[in-house]
Amino acid sequence: MSARKPFMGAIMLLIMLVPVKALATSWVYLFVVWNGYIYVVGDEQVTSLGEKIGAVTVYSDMEQYEGNFSNIYPEGTSYYAIKGVDTDHAIAVHTPNDTYVKALREGEYTYVEKETTLQKSIWYKTLGGIVAIDLGIIFLVRRFKKRAYKK
């Protein structure tokens, strides 16, 4: 029974070291990204629209993306300038219920790039190598102990 302990310990260590993907992202606020800046969506409705300036290119409430990204509105949702308001301050967003709401510019949008497949592959190969070496050491130590007891 005690010979299984190192093997089971190694298996448990391997299970604990495998990265687990987060299932959801917790956003601080609802937003749209336009022209490299994040705009926080509010409740204030806008009636005095200017020209169309863009649209949501990527929607996700789970992960971060590049481009005109939103965590609330679907792809294709239009952005408009507001008459008399600089787009450096606010823009209007066309909502699914056919109204327009003001979104205030919060600051620059920073996209954090995800791990590439190659980076993940290197991580898993390194982890597998460490586990294989550990199991090899455990096997050799047990074998030498058995030989020492036989003499």
Side-chain angles (χ1 to χ4, degrees):
M1 184 74 171
S2 66
R4 288 181 160 177
K5 285 184 182 179
F7 180 72
M8 292 303 289
I11 296 295
M12 291 303 292
L13 179 64
L14 178 64
I15 290 170
M16 289 179 358
L17 289 176
V18 173
V20 178
K21 184 177 180 181
L23 296 175
T25 300
S26 179
W27 302 104
V28 177
Y29 40 73
L30 302 175
F31 64 86
V32 295
V33 175
W34 175 68
N35 213 18
Y37 290 92
I38 191 163
Y39 290 79
V40 178
V41 177
D43 294 330
E44 184 181 343
Q45 290 197 5
V46 177
T47 55
S48 184
L49 297 175
E51 65 184 55
K52 181 178 176 180
I53 56 174
V56 175
T57 55
V58 180
Y59 161 79
S60 177
D61 63 352
M62 301 291 277
E63 296 183 46
Q64 184 182 20
Y65 289 95
E66 291 181 285
N68 289 346
F69 166 63
S70 177
N71 70 347
I72 181 174
Y73 296 112
E75 187 176 318
T77 300
S78 299
Y79 305 151
Y80 292 86
I82 302 171
K83 286 185 181 175
V85 178
D86 189 353
T87 55
D88 287 344
H89 177 66
I91 62 174
V93 181
H94 186 205
T95 68
N97 60 356
D98 212 23
T99 61
Y100 299 87
V101 292
K102 185 184 276 189
L104 298 173
R105 185 160 139 176
E106 179 73 20
E108 215 170 322
Y109 176 68
T110 23
Y111 170 70
V112 179
E113 196 168 330
K114 299 178 222 165
E115 273 187 322
T116 65
T117 305
L118 178 61
Q119 290 169 325
K120 289 179 184 177
S121 174
I122 291 170
W123 165 249
Y124 287 124
K125 286 178 183 176
T126 303
L127 182 62
I130 291 169
V131 170
I133 290 169
D134 287 347
L135 291 175
I137 290 171
I138 291 168
F139 174 76
L140 290 174
V141 167
R142 287 180 51 212
R143 188 170 183 184
F144 285 123
K145 280 184 180 180
K146 284 182 183 179
R147 283 188 183 177
Y149 288 127
K150 286 183 180 180
K151 291 183 180 181

mmCIF file of all heavy atoms in Angstrom, residues 9 18-19 40 43 93 111 119 129 139 141:
data_model
loop_
_atom_site.group_PDB
_atom_site.id
_atom_site.type_symbol
_atom_site.label_atom_id
_atom_site.label_comp_id
_atom_site.label_asym_id
_atom_site.label_seq_id
_atom_site.Cartn_x
_atom_site.Cartn_y
_atom_site.Cartn_z
ATOM 1 N N GLY A 9 0.602 10.519 -5.276
ATOM 2 C CA GLY A 9 1.011 11.904 -5.032
ATOM 3 C C GLY A 9 1.392 12.597 -6.323
ATOM 4 O O GLY A 9 1.039 13.759 -6.552
ATOM 5 N N VAL A 18 -2.489 21.327 -13.843
ATOM 6 C CA VAL A 18 -3.118 21.556 -15.139
ATOM 7 C C VAL A 18 -3.948 22.832 -15.051
ATOM 8 O O VAL A 18 -4.813 22.955 -14.194
ATOM 9 C CB VAL A 18 -4.008 20.357 -15.552
ATOM 10 C CG1 VAL A 18 -4.795 20.678 -16.802
ATOM 11 C CG2 VAL A 18 -3.156 19.119 -15.747
ATOM 12 N N PRO A 19 -3.670 23.816 -15.918
ATOM 13 C CA PRO A 19 -4.417 25.071 -15.842
ATOM 14 C C PRO A 19 -5.882 24.872 -16.205
ATOM 15 O O PRO A 19 -6.209 24.145 -17.130
ATOM 16 C CB PRO A 19 -3.725 25.966 -16.871
ATOM 17 C CG PRO A 19 -2.898 25.075 -17.705
ATOM 18 C CD PRO A 19 -2.680 23.799 -16.963
ATOM 19 N N VAL A 40 -18.160 53.727 -21.607
ATOM 20 C CA VAL A 40 -19.078 53.102 -20.657
ATOM 21 C C VAL A 40 -20.510 53.479 -21.038
ATOM 22 O O VAL A 40 -20.845 54.659 -21.162
ATOM 23 C CB VAL A 40 -18.774 53.541 -19.208
ATOM 24 C CG1 VAL A 40 -19.759 52.922 -18.242
ATOM 25 C CG2 VAL A 40 -17.347 53.189 -18.839
ATOM 26 N N ASP A 43 -27.580 55.027 -19.100
ATOM 27 C CA ASP A 43 -29.028 54.955 -19.331
ATOM 28 C C ASP A 43 -29.557 56.160 -20.102
ATOM 29 O O ASP A 43 -30.684 56.134 -20.593
ATOM 30 C CB ASP A 43 -29.774 54.880 -17.995
ATOM 31 C CG ASP A 43 -29.468 53.585 -17.251
ATOM 32 O OD1 ASP A 43 -29.192 52.579 -17.926
ATOM 33 O OD2 ASP A 43 -29.509 53.592 -16.008
ATOM 34 N N VAL A 93 -24.986 54.933 -28.924
ATOM 35 C CA VAL A 93 -25.033 53.530 -29.343
ATOM 36 C C VAL A 93 -26.483 53.172 -29.638
ATOM 37 O O VAL A 93 -27.370 53.418 -28.820
ATOM 38 C CB VAL A 93 -24.461 52.606 -28.249
ATOM 39 C CG1 VAL A 93 -24.485 51.156 -28.707
ATOM 40 C CG2 VAL A 93 -23.051 53.018 -27.857
ATOM 41 N N TYR A 111 -5.909 45.833 -24.962
ATOM 42 C CA TYR A 111 -6.208 44.439 -25.247
ATOM 43 C C TYR A 111 -5.057 43.587 -24.750
ATOM 44 O O TYR A 111 -3.904 43.832 -25.077
ATOM 45 C CB TYR A 111 -6.397 44.246 -26.751
ATOM 46 C CG TYR A 111 -6.476 42.802 -27.180
ATOM 47 C CD1 TYR A 111 -7.575 42.024 -26.848
ATOM 48 C CD2 TYR A 111 -5.456 42.211 -27.906
ATOM 49 C CE1 TYR A 111 -7.652 40.702 -27.228
ATOM 50 C CE2 TYR A 111 -5.524 40.893 -28.301
ATOM 51 C CZ TYR A 111 -6.621 40.143 -27.960
ATOM 52 O OH TYR A 111 -6.693 38.835 -28.334
ATOM 53 N N GLN A 119 2.613 28.490 -27.253
ATOM 54 C CA GLN A 119 2.955 28.714 -25.849
ATOM 55 C C GLN A 119 2.329 27.641 -24.955
ATOM 56 O O GLN A 119 2.969 27.139 -24.044
ATOM 57 C CB GLN A 119 2.495 30.101 -25.400
ATOM 58 C CG GLN A 119 3.285 31.224 -26.019
ATOM 59 C CD GLN A 119 2.655 32.580 -25.765
ATOM 60 O OE1 GLN A 119 1.429 32.707 -25.731
ATOM 61 N NE2 GLN A 119 3.473 33.595 -25.611
ATOM 62 N N GLY A 129 7.304 16.671 -19.037
ATOM 63 C CA GLY A 129 8.695 16.272 -18.795
ATOM 64 C C GLY A 129 9.034 16.247 -17.320
ATOM 65 O O GLY A 129 9.696 15.320 -16.835
ATOM 66 N N PHE A 139 10.700 5.696 -9.305
ATOM 67 C CA PHE A 139 10.914 4.308 -9.711
ATOM 68 C C PHE A 139 12.332 3.850 -9.370
ATOM 69 O O PHE A 139 12.529 2.754 -8.808
ATOM 70 C CB PHE A 139 10.650 4.159 -11.212
ATOM 71 C CG PHE A 139 10.976 2.798 -11.747
ATOM 72 C CD1 PHE A 139 10.130 1.732 -11.509
ATOM 73 C CD2 PHE A 139 12.147 2.580 -12.465
ATOM 74 C CE1 PHE A 139 10.437 0.475 -11.990
ATOM 75 C CE2 PHE A 139 12.461 1.329 -12.951
ATOM 76 C CZ PHE A 139 11.596 0.266 -12.719
ATOM 77 N N VAL A 141 14.503 5.107 -7.153
ATOM 78 C CA VAL A 141 14.717 5.065 -5.698
ATOM 79 C C VAL A 141 14.118 3.794 -5.118
ATOM 80 O O VAL A 141 14.747 3.108 -4.303
ATOM 81 C CB VAL A 141 14.120 6.328 -5.024
ATOM 82 C CG1 VAL A 141 14.036 6.170 -3.518
ATOM 83 C CG2 VAL A 141 14.936 7.556 -5.394
#
